């Protein structure tokens, strides 16, 4: 992996889902992010040559830990990463780092976490101790709970075809309308799309959240949407994903999107027009 680099460690987000066709590729990318977090070099991170980077490569850095499926008493690898393993991480995460500002936990085959383990991980993702970075390596991100996915930046190493182009188009349409600022056009768009299934709605919200993250990080043109507004839209997508978990209907969620996307002044004016 040569494309992962940061100007400084503060640019690294607290949680990533790294998806690829094979677990070795995603693990390699995770190790690059871990090296960047603990790197002692200068310039673009990771430098790849300092003592901290060398320790990550060797698997000996005390602040970078790998979590994977355990072996049973016969030496055969178990099917799942268990809730006990995640709780061990949670307990260890509150302990200060040994050599770095950061502690990094790389979950190999994070899509093998059972539901109980994922719910335990969700608590850590929602309120991570300062300086803790969680890297979830997967080949099947859809095996993760939508609430887990919504709290992570997703790095797609499959290539552009991994994300269904229909969701990319739908998310692009939505963000273009948000930039345009027309409440009428947005409501018409919501009405056209409020027949999506629950799973389709989740994919749309996740794709939108990923695009917003790219805009906030400067990897994608924001189309004139301010950083403050982008953060509001990101929170709105997270809210939608949370409501899906408690069985709120898709039509209601598009109604929420129609109301909360537009600036208050525009929404108020539109509501007055409807009343009149």
């Amino acid at each position: 992996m040569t494309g992962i680099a940061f100007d400084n460690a503060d640019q690294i987000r607290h949680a990533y889902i790294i998806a690829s066709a094979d677990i070795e590729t995603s693990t390699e990318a995770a190790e690059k992010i871990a090296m960047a977090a603990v790197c002692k070099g200068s310039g673009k991170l990771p430098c790849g040559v300092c003592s901290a980077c060398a320790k990550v490569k060797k698997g000996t850095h005390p602040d970078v830990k790998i979590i994977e499926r355990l072996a049973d008493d016969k030496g055969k690898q178990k099917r799942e990463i268990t809730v006990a393993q995640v709780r061990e991480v949670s307990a260890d995460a509150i302990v200060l780092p040994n050599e770095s500002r950061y502690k990094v936990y790389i979950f190999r085959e994070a899509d093998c976490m059972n539901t109980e383990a994922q719910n335990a991980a969700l608590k850590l993702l929602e309120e991570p101790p300062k300086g803790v970075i969680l890297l979830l390596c997967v080949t099947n991100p859809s095996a993760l709970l939508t609430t887990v996915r919504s709290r992570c930046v997703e790095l797609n190493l499959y290539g552009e075809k991994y994300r269904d182009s229909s969701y990319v188009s739908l998310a692009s349409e939505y963000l273009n309308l948000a930039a345009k600022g027309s409440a009428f056009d947005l409501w018409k768009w919501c009405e056209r799309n409020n027949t999506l299934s629950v799973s389709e709605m989740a994919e749309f919200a996740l794709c939108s959240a990923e695009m917003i993250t790219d805009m906030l990080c400067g990897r994608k043109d924001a189309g004139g949407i301010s950083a403050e507004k982008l953060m509001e839209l990101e929170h709105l997508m997270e809210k939608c994903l949370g409501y899906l978990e408690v069985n709120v209907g898709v039509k209601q969620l598009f109604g929420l999107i129609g109301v909360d996307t537009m600036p208050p002044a525009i929404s108020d004016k539109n509501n007055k027009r409807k009343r009149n």
Side-chain angles (χ1 to χ4, degrees), residues 174 183 186-196 201 204 236-237 239-240 243 248-262 267 270-271 274:
Y174 166 64
L186 177 66
W187 275 105
K188 294 296 288 183
W189 179 87
C190 288
E191 288 177 1
R192 286 198 307 270
N193 292 289
N194 65 15
T195 56
L196 293 179
M201 181 67 189
F204 156 70
L236 175 58
M237 292 301 106
K239 187 189 295 186
C240 288
Y243 282 146
V248 174
V250 171
K251 285 187 177 181
Q252 287 90 335
L253 293 182
F254 271 107
L256 175 67
I257 289 171
V259 171
D260 283 10
T261 298
M262 290 295 106
S267 295
N270 188 59
N271 289 335
K274 283 186 176 181

Side-chain angles (χ1 to χ4, degrees), residues 64-82:
V64 178
K65 300 185 178 181
I66 295 179
I67 296 87
E68 55 189 336
R69 291 180 290 151
L70 300 175
D72 60 22
D73 53 7
K74 295 181 180 179
K76 185 177 180 180
Q77 200 170 32
K78 295 181 178 180
R79 293 179 58 187
E80 298 177 327
I81 293 174
T82 66

Side-chain angles (χ1 to χ4, degrees), residues 162-178:
Y162 174 71
R163 173 67 72 186
D164 190 318
S165 60
S166 63
Y167 300 121
V168 173
S169 297
L170 200 60
S172 296
E173 287 175 8
Y174 166 64
L175 292 172
N176 286 335
L177 287 167

Side-chain angles (χ1 to χ4, degrees), residues 19-215:
S20 68
D22 64 274
I23 204 64
E24 297 306 324
T25 298
S26 54
T27 301
E28 183 183 353
E31 288 175 349
K32 279 288 184 71
I33 297 174
M35 285 196 295
V38 302
C39 183
K40 296 181 179 180
S42 57
K44 290 284 186 180
L45 306 179
C47 71
V49 296
C50 71
S51 60
C53 286
K55 287 181 181 179
V56 175
K57 290 178 183 177
K58 294 177 183 177
T60 58
H61 198 292
D63 298 322
V64 178
K65 300 185 178 181
I66 295 179
I67 296 87
E68 55 189 336
R69 291 180 290 151
L70 300 175
D72 60 22
D73 53 7
K74 295 181 180 179
K76 185 177 180 180
Q77 200 170 32
K78 295 181 178 180
R79 293 179 58 187
E80 298 177 327
I81 293 174
T82 66
V83 66
Q85 290 176 268
V86 177
R87 286 172 178 163
E88 285 181 11
V89 170
S90 297
D92 184 73
I94 62 175
V95 180
L96 292 174
N98 288 278
E99 299 179 5
S100 170
R101 290 169 54 202
Y102 297 94
K103 295 185 79 169
V104 185
Y105 298 91
I106 299 174
F107 285 75
R108 278 177 56 88
E109 299 178 298
D111 39 356
C112 288
M113 283 192 289
N114 59 36
T115 301
E116 191 177 6
Q118 289 192 53
N119 283 323
L122 181 59
K123 295 178 181 179
L124 191 57
L125 290 166
E126 288 175 333
E127 298 180 6
K130 184 178 180 180
V132 168
I133 298 171
L134 302 172
L135 306 176
L136 310 183
C137 302
V138 302
T139 57
N140 179 22
S142 63
L144 297 175
L145 299 173
T146 54
T147 45
V148 169
R149 293 176 67 184
S150 69
R151 284 160 178 79
C152 302
V153 175
E154 288 199 31
L155 296 183
N156 171 15
L157 306 183
Y158 283 91
E160 290 298 322
K161 292 184 180 179
Y162 174 71
R163 173 67 72 186
D164 190 318
S165 60
S166 63
Y167 300 121
V168 173
S169 297
L170 200 60
S172 296
E173 287 175 8
Y174 166 64
L175 292 172
N176 286 335
L177 287 167
K180 184 179 178 182
S182 169
F184 176 79
D185 289 343
L186 177 66
W187 275 105
K188 294 296 288 183
W189 179 87
C190 288
E191 288 177 1
R192 286 198 307 270
N193 292 289
N194 65 15
T195 56
L196 293 179
S197 68
V198 170
S199 62
E200 289 170 337
M201 181 67 189
E203 289 296 333
F204 156 70
L206 286 165
C207 193
S208 297
E210 289 173 11
M211 284 189 175
I212 293 167
T213 296
D214 285 342
M215 290 174 175

